[in-house]
Amino acid sequence: MTESIWIHYARPRPHWYRLTAQEQQEKRARWATLAQQASTEGATFVGQYHVRGQHDFETVEIWQFASPEAAFAYWASLTAAAYNEWFAFSNNVGMALEKQAYEHASS
């Protein structure tokens, strides 16, 4: 069961563009391996979307995790692989509301 979502906004930092295409691909391959590992451990990748309009970021990714701790563990694996050195980011983790909580709010 999915109890939390992770919303990840990102944009490449300027020095990302100084890397060769091969260097960029090598880094993306490492991060893709970590994403596959998270999926194997139960995470669900919902999708990556281009952010349009006036926004600080270029893309947003949405993931579902069994717990906030699982989302944080995935993020920790990305930072250990230097993702945060190459991309500016903002993360949000949300937990599912109990049915009673949102039914009461709409009354």
Side-chain angles (χ1 to χ4, degrees):
M1 177 176 172
T2 302
E3 293 187 12
S4 65
I5 62 168
W6 179 52
I7 304 168
H8 171 69
Y9 293 95
R11 75 171 181 281
R13 295 183 189 273
H15 52 282
W16 172 255
Y17 298 106
R18 293 186 198 127
L19 296 175
T20 66
Q22 181 177 346
E23 290 170 325
Q24 288 180 1
Q25 181 55 35
E26 289 168 359
K27 291 181 185 324
R28 287 188 191 277
R30 173 68 179 128
W31 303 329
T33 298
L34 297 172
Q36 181 58 47
Q37 181 180 348
S39 293
T40 300
E41 294 171 358
T44 302
F45 177 67
V46 176
Q48 183 180 44
Y49 307 89
H50 176 73
V51 178
R52 297 187 65 186
Q54 301 295 319
H55 200 278
D56 292 336
F57 298 99
E58 179 180 291
T59 59
V60 61
E61 283 187 22
I62 301 174
W63 285 77
Q64 295 175 323
F65 287 90
S67 68
E69 292 80 12
F72 293 133
Y74 175 56
W75 177 245
S77 73
L78 286 172
T79 59
Y83 174 88
N84 57 323
E85 294 178 24
W86 299 102
F87 283 79
F89 61 88
S90 176
N91 294 318
N92 299 99
V93 175
M95 295 177 58
L97 292 174
E98 293 183 26
K99 188 174 183 179
Q100 293 174 342
Y102 63 81
E103 282 182 345
H104 180 66
S106 65
S107 302

